[in-house]
Amino acid sequence: MANVAKKVSWSGRDRDDDEPAAAGETTPLLNGAGPGTAGRTPSSRPAPHPAFLRVGQLTNVDLDDDIRELETETPTQVPSEIPHNEKLLSLKYESLDYDNCENQLFLEEERRIHHTAFRTVEIKRWVICAMIGILTGLVACFIDIVVENLAGLKFRVVKDNIDKFTEKGGLSFSLLLWATLNSSVVMAGSIIVAFIEPVAAGSGIPQIKCYLNGVKVPHVVRLKTLVIKVCGVILSVVGGLAVGKEGPMIHSGAVIAAGISQGRSTSLKRDFKIFEYFRRDTEKRDFVSAGAAAGVSAAFGAPVGGVLFSLEEGASFWNQFLTWRIFFASMISTFTLNSILSFYHGNPWDLSSPGLINFGRFDSEKLGYTFQEIPIFIFMGVVGGILGAIFNALNYWLTMFRIRYIHRPCLQVIEAMLVAAVTASVGFVMIYCSRDCQPLQEDAVTYPLQLFCADGEYNSMATAFFNTPEKSVVSLFHNPPGSYNPMTLGMFTLMYFFLACWTYGLTVSAGVFIPSLLIGAAWGRLFGISLSYLTSGAIWADPGKYALMGAAAQLGGIVRMTLSLTVIMMEATGNVTYGFPIMLALMTAKIVGDYFVEGLYDMHIQLQSVPFLHWEAPVTSHSLTAREVMSAPVTCLRRIEKVGTIVDILSDMSSNHNGFPVVESSPDTTQVAGLRGLILRSQLIVLLKHKVFVERANLSLVQRRLKLKDFRDAYPRFPPIQSIHVSQDERQCMMDLTEFMNPSPYTVPQEASLPRVFKLFRALGLRHLVVVDNHNEVVGLVTRKDLARYRLGKEGLEELSLAQT
C-alpha cells in the first residue's frame, strides 16, 4: 500500500517520550480488511460475528509489510519524498475522554459534596476564567510591545540606510540589508519551531479546533508550546513575513487556560495543590474554549466576537453557563490589555484601544450606505469567495508539496528564510519602481520613504510594504481619497496575495487573519476608487468604506467564518452601521467559496489526516449500520481478571486500544455473559501502578482503597506500561475491576444506523461506544476513527483508509 506511510504531522513526533507507548485507539485496517479487501465497498464487507469476541486475549491486527518496514526503519533513513494520499485517516491521534466515568469512586465523591461545596466549585470556575483573561491580556501586551519596538528598530535602520544611499547611489546595499535582517530574524523564529516544538507552527487555530472536537493533538496545550508560540510570532512579524500576530493569540489563550485550570505544571513539575477537581478532560475542554475566546478578544478588542468565535469555530459542546464564563474571560482579557497599553502609551486609564489591532472608527454620518449599494456589497462578497477559493487551492497544493519534500527541519528553516528574503526583495523592488508620490501629512505615515519623490512627499507603496501589516490595514481603511494610485493598489494586491499564500504553512508561528484583511482592504479600496471614477466622485463611493467590505469578504472567503467575523469587524471598527453589509459580504463569500473548495482551517485538518467529526454524519450514510462500521473483534476483560492477562494486553503493541468492555464471566469458563461496564487503559495503568490486586487464594482480602485523587494526580500524562514492574508472583494475582469501571457505558444495538450512532457519539463527546446484540453481549466497539472514516466526497460516500501516519 503506497499510501500507508509515515508523514509529517503537527507534533513532528510519533509519540511523547513520557506518554504511554500504546497511545491511540488502533482499529483494524479497514475493520480487518487486508490489502486485497481495501477496495471493497462498505456494503460488501462481511459483518463481524459475535464469535470473534476475545475475552482476556489479545486482538492482533495484521498490518501491511509496508508498515512493518517503516516501523523498523532507523531514524536517519528519512525518504527524500514522503508519499501522501489525502484519503487517509491517521491512527496516531488519540481521543479525549469528554464523557465522565461514573464509577463507584466518582459517585461516592459527588454524593459527599454538599450544596455549599458545589457553590465553591462554581466560584473557582469564575476565578479561573478571570485568571485566564488577565494572563491572556498580559501575553498579548508583551507580544505587542516587543513587536512594536523590534519592528520599529528594524524599519528605522533600513529607512536611514535607504535615505543615505538614495543620495549617493548604491541602493543594492539597502536591499541586501533589508533581506538579511528579515532572513536572520525569521531564521531564529523558524529554528525554535522546527527543532523545539513543531506544533507551535501556524496560527494554531486548526489544532485548537481539533482539541475542542475531542482529538488529542500531542503537545498542543503544553507550556513549552506557549513559550515557543509567543517568541515565534514575535520573530515572524518582526521578520517582515506576510503574517499577523492576532491569530496565534487564540492558541496562546487556549494553552494558558489549559495550564491554569489544572493548578499545576507538569512541564515544570510543580503542583500547587489547587483546582484538583478540574483535572479531567471535560472540565479542561470548557476552560480551553474560554482561553480561545479570550485570545480573540485580546487580539481584536472584541469580547462578543471572541465568544461567538469559540462557539462557531471551536467548541463542540456548549451550554448557557459556559457562555457567561467565556464572556467574562473575554471581557477581563480586553480590559487587562487596554489598561496596560494605556499606561505604556502614556495615557493612563484611557481605555479607548481595547485590542492589539484597532481598525479605527468609521464616521457613519459621512460614510453611510444606501439601498442601491447592497448589490455592490454582494458582488464584493462573490469576489472575496472566488479569491479565497483560489488562495485555499494554491495553499493546498503547496502544503502537499511541503508534506512530500520539505519534511526535514533544516529544509523547513531554509524555506522560511527564503520566503523572508523574497518578501523583502519584492517589497523593495515594488517601492523602487513605484512613482506614486503623495504629499507628506503629519502622522500620516510612521516610516515615510522619500526615495525619488520630491521634498515634502513620500512613496505611497512604502505605506503598504514598509510597515507592520496591522498599520497597513488601518491606513487602507482611513487614509483620505487620493492617498493611493490604482496601479499601486493593483500591484500590491497581486504580489501580497501570492506572498501570503506562500507564507501560510511555513514552519513559523504566524496567523492568516491580518494578511487576509490586508489583501481584501487593498482590492476593496481599488474597487472603491474605480466606483468613484465611474460615478464622477460621488460622496458615497468612499474608498475606505469599500476597503472594509473587501477585507471582510476576503477573510470570509479564506476561513469561511460568518457570525463571529461579522461581530469582530463591527467591534473592531466601533460601528454597528456596517453590520448588515458586512454580514451580506461574508455570507456570500462563504457560499461562493464552499462551492469550489473548503475553508483553510478545515483543509489543513484534513491534510493532517485528523479524525475530525463534523456536526452531522454524511447525508447519504443511512444505509450503513453499527455492525458495518464498528471495530471487531474486541478485547474484553472479566470483572475479576488476572493481573498477568491485563499486563499482557496493555503491553501488546498491536492492540493499542484505550477502552476495554468488562463482561461478567467466571474465571474458570470461556462462556461470555453480558456487558457489565467499560474501563480505560489509563485507569488500568493507575491500578497496576498502585498494585490494587489480591492473591487468587485470598479473594476476601481488602484491597488498598484508591481515591479519585490518585487518578487525577496521574492525569494527563499517565506512565507507560513499560515503566510499571509486575513480578511473576504478582502476575498470578487477581484484580477486581467492579469499583473502577464505568458500570453504565453508552451502548447501541448492532442494527443502529450510522447517522444515529454518529449523533450519539458526537453529541455526548464519547470516546468509545459499545455495540451489543440482542442478548447484551459485546459484538464490537465504535471509536472516533470508525466514524471519521466515512466522508462525503465528490462521487458520494467514500471510505478513507486507516494508516499509522
Side-chain angles (χ1 to χ4, degrees):
M1 290 178 65
N3 61 355
V4 180
K6 181 173 170 59
K7 174 170 74 74
V8 175
S9 69
W10 278 329
S11 67
R13 300 172 178 84
D14 291 329
R15 187 178 67 243
D16 291 352
D17 294 332
D18 53 353
E19 286 184 352
E25 303 141 327
T26 304
T27 49
L29 189 65
L30 293 178
N31 280 350
T37 59
R40 257 187 227 173
T41 57
S43 57
S44 63
R45 193 172 61 244
H49 192 270
F52 284 135
L53 188 68
R54 314 281 176 84
V55 180
Q57 297 179 9
L58 303 182
T59 304
N60 294 319
V61 182
D62 244 353
L63 297 180
D64 269 342
D65 291 335
D66 292 346
I67 298 178
R68 292 197 192 97
E69 289 170 9
L70 286 165
E71 287 175 347
T72 56
E73 271 185 349
T74 57
T76 55
Q77 294 175 326
V78 180
S80 58
E81 176 187 354
I82 291 186
H84 175 55
N85 187 335
E86 63 167 342
K87 295 186 179 180
L88 280 179
L89 204 62
S90 176
L91 288 170
K92 183 191 65 158
Y93 294 102
E94 291 184 63
S95 289
L96 294 161
D97 295 302
Y98 284 166
D99 179 42
N100 284 326
C101 177
E102 293 193 349
N103 55 19
Q104 288 184 25
L105 297 181
F106 178 83
L107 294 175
E108 285 173 10
E109 182 187 78
E110 293 294 309
R111 287 164 185 157
R112 282 198 305 268
I113 299 177
H114 47 80
H115 179 69
T116 308
F118 272 118
R119 187 169 294 176
T120 305
V121 168
E122 189 63 23
I123 291 172
K124 286 181 181 177
R125 288 194 176 100
W126 286 91
V127 170
I128 292 171
C129 286
M131 293 171 67
I132 291 169
I134 292 169
L135 283 180
T136 304
L138 290 175
V139 168
C141 286
F142 175 76
I143 292 174
D144 190 54
I145 292 169
V146 175
V147 165
E148 184 180 332
N149 285 282
L150 291 181
L153 177 64
K154 186 193 80 170
F155 286 131
R156 282 194 297 273
V157 169
V158 176
K159 179 183 182 309
D160 293 343
N161 191 272
I162 291 176
D163 291 343
K164 183 174 73 173
F165 282 103
T166 302
E167 298 174 2
K168 60 180 185 179
L171 275 171
S172 56
F173 182 78
S174 300
L175 167 60
L176 188 63
L177 175 68
W178 192 1
T180 304
L181 282 174
N182 276 16
S183 297
S184 303
V185 174
V186 169
M187 179 181 71
S190 184
I191 284 174
I192 61 174
V193 172
F195 288 96
I196 300 178
E197 196 52 88
V199 80
S203 66
I205 295 175
Q207 291 93 317
I208 295 304
K209 278 189 72 169
C210 291
Y211 184 91
L212 293 173
N213 189 260
V215 180
K216 183 180 181 182
V217 180
H219 301 260
V220 74
V221 288
R222 293 274 184 88
L223 176 62
K224 185 168 69 172
T225 305
L226 175 64
V227 174
I228 300 299
K229 194 86 181 181
V230 170
C231 297
V233 75
I234 289 171
L235 294 169
S236 300
V237 176
V238 172
L241 292 175
V243 299
K245 59 181 182 284
E246 282 69 22
M249 277 307 307
I250 296 160
H251 190 180
S252 301
V255 180
I256 290 168
I260 290 177
S261 63
Q262 303 305 291
R264 67 176 176 187
S265 170
T266 47
S267 300
L268 300 178
K269 295 181 172 56
R270 289 291 303 276
D271 192 341
F272 300 101
K273 306 294 183 184
I274 55 173
F275 307 142
E276 293 177 339
Y277 181 81
F278 305 117
R279 291 179 186 174
R280 56 179 186 265
D281 286 337
T282 316
E283 297 286 351
K284 197 172 179 180
R285 171 199 70 204
D286 291 347
F287 291 119
V288 168
S289 300
V296 175
S297 182
F300 297 99
V304 178
V307 174
L308 294 175
F309 174 87
S310 193
L311 170 61
E312 182 181 5
E313 283 294 304
S316 303
F317 313 97
W318 203 261
N319 60 57
Q320 185 180 3
F321 299 112
L322 183 61
T323 308
W324 268 112
R325 289 199 297 271
I326 289 179
F327 185 54
F328 177 66
S330 298
M331 291 295 294
I332 294 290
S333 174
T334 297
F335 179 76
T336 303
L337 177 83
N338 214 341
S339 303
I340 302 293
L341 289 184
S342 68
F343 277 93
Y344 174 73
H345 292 301
N347 304 311
W349 307 117
D350 176 22
L351 306 180
S352 56
S353 300
L356 290 182
I357 180 170
N358 186 5
F359 293 142
R361 294 185 176 274
F362 283 81
D363 191 344
S364 55
E365 293 181 6
K366 294 181 181 177
L367 300 179
Y369 67 95
T370 61
F371 188 80
Q372 290 85 350
E373 290 180 83
I374 290 178
I376 298 175
F377 298 143
I378 294 175
F379 174 75
M380 293 183 76
V382 172
V383 174
I386 294 171
L387 289 177
I390 294 171
F391 185 99
N392 291 359
L394 291 174
N395 193 260
Y396 173 85
W397 293 113
L398 185 60
T399 306
M400 288 287 285
F401 178 84
R402 283 176 174 142
I403 288 173
R404 287 174 174 159
Y405 298 103
I406 312 178
H407 45 79
R408 296 173 186 266
C410 54
L411 293 177
Q412 294 168 344
V413 173
I414 291 170
E415 187 199 13
M417 292 173 63
L418 175 65
V419 175
V422 169
T423 303
S425 303
V426 167
F428 185 88
V429 170
M430 291 187 69
I431 293 170
Y432 182 82
C433 297
S434 173
R435 293 295 179 266
D436 184 10
C437 296
Q438 301 291 339
L440 185 61
Q441 299 172 353
E442 190 176 352
D443 297 332
V445 188
T446 312
Y447 307 104
L449 285 180
Q450 185 177 356
L451 274 182
F452 305 114
C453 295
D455 290 340
E457 293 184 335
Y458 71 97
N459 190 302
S460 184
M461 181 68 83
T463 313
F465 264 115
F466 200 67
N467 221 330
T468 56
E470 290 84 359
K471 291 180 180 175
S472 300
V473 171
V474 175
S475 66
L476 286 168
F477 282 174
H478 294 290
N479 280 12
S483 300
Y484 292 93
N485 188 300
M487 181 61 72
T488 300
L489 291 172
M491 290 301 297
F492 174 78
T493 302
L494 183 66
M495 297 309 300
Y496 206 81
F497 182 90
F498 289 108
L499 286 174
C501 186
W502 190 11
T503 304
Y504 190 79
L506 289 177
T507 312
V508 294
S509 298
V512 76
F513 265 70
I514 299 301
S516 305
L517 290 172
L518 184 51
I519 295 165
W523 69 254
R525 192 174 182 95
L526 179 61
F527 186 83
I529 292 172
S530 305
L531 275 181
S532 184
Y533 283 155
L534 292 174
T535 57
S536 303
I539 185 68
W540 57 267
D542 183 85
K545 175 173 60 176
Y546 289 98
L548 174 65
M549 296 302 152
Q554 182 66 52
L555 183 53
I558 291 174
V559 300
R560 310 292 158 77
M561 289 158 51
T562 49
L563 177 63
S564 57
L565 191 52
T566 303
V567 176
I568 287 171
M569 296 296 286
M570 284 166 52
E571 288 185 281
T573 55
N575 196 317
V576 184
T577 308
Y578 294 117
F580 182 65
I582 288 173
M583 185 179 70
L584 281 179
L586 285 170
M587 285 177 60
T588 309
K590 177 176 170 56
I591 292 168
V592 172
D594 283 342
Y595 180 78
F596 296 104
V597 68
E598 59 190 346
L600 189 66
Y601 299 144
D602 291 328
M603 186 184 78
H604 277 265
I605 289 171
Q606 181 182 317
L607 281 171
Q608 294 295 336
S609 304
V610 179
F612 187 89
L613 296 181
H614 295 280
W615 288 105
E616 298 287 344
V619 290
T620 58
S621 59
H622 277 84
S623 58
L624 293 172
T625 63
R627 176 196 290 268
E628 293 170 293
V629 303
M630 68 187 183
S631 297
V634 182
T635 303
C636 292
L637 297 173
R638 299 182 181 91
R639 191 173 56 81
I640 299 176
E641 188 60 272
K642 197 174 176 182
V643 171
T645 304
I646 294 174
V647 171
D648 290 341
I649 288 173
L650 296 181
S651 302
D652 186 64
M653 294 301 293
S654 64
S655 171
N656 300 343
H657 300 295
N658 274 292
F660 303 93
V662 180
V663 296
E664 185 64 70
S665 178
S666 169
D668 302 322
T669 67
T670 56
Q671 182 181 1
V672 179
L675 175 70
R676 290 293 176 265
L678 183 79
I679 194 160
L680 300 176
R681 171 183 290 270
S682 56
Q683 293 174 306
L684 291 172
I685 284 176
V686 173
L687 294 178
L688 288 172
K689 180 183 176 184
H690 290 278
K691 302 192 181 301
V692 185
F693 37 75
V694 296
E695 297 177 17
R696 180 188 290 269
N698 298 310
L699 290 178
S700 59
L701 289 178
V702 179
Q703 302 181 105
R704 188 203 156 192
R705 179 74 175 174
L706 281 189
K707 296 182 179 178
L708 273 184
K709 184 181 184 304
D710 295 300
F711 293 92
R712 288 171 182 160
D713 286 344
Y715 175 86
R717 302 188 206 174
F718 296 97
I721 183 64
Q722 288 81 4
S723 69
I724 298 172
H725 176 70
V726 178
S727 67
Q728 200 60 38
D729 290 338
E730 289 172 334
R731 288 178 62 88
Q732 303 305 315
C733 294
M734 306 299 290
M735 184 183 290
D736 189 349
L737 305 178
T738 308
E739 191 178 6
F740 310 103
M741 69 182 186
N742 184 357
S744 54
Y746 291 101
T747 62
V748 288
Q750 54 188 344
E751 293 80 19
S753 67
L754 174 60
R756 192 168 187 82
V757 173
F758 189 99
K759 190 177 295 183
L760 184 65
F761 197 97
R762 179 71 169 78
L764 297 174
L766 302 182
R767 186 176 187 178
H768 307 94
L769 185 60
V770 184
V771 183
V772 295
D773 61 10
N774 296 333
H775 304 291
N776 197 36
E777 293 182 3
V778 180
V779 294
L781 198 68
V782 176
T783 66
R784 167 177 294 272
K785 298 175 187 71
D786 296 319
L787 297 176
R789 271 206 334 267
Y790 297 94
R791 189 177 70 189
L792 195 62
K794 294 180 180 177
E795 299 176 0
L797 191 67
E798 58 185 20
E799 184 178 0
L800 307 183
S801 302
L802 297 179
Q804 195 71 42
T805 60

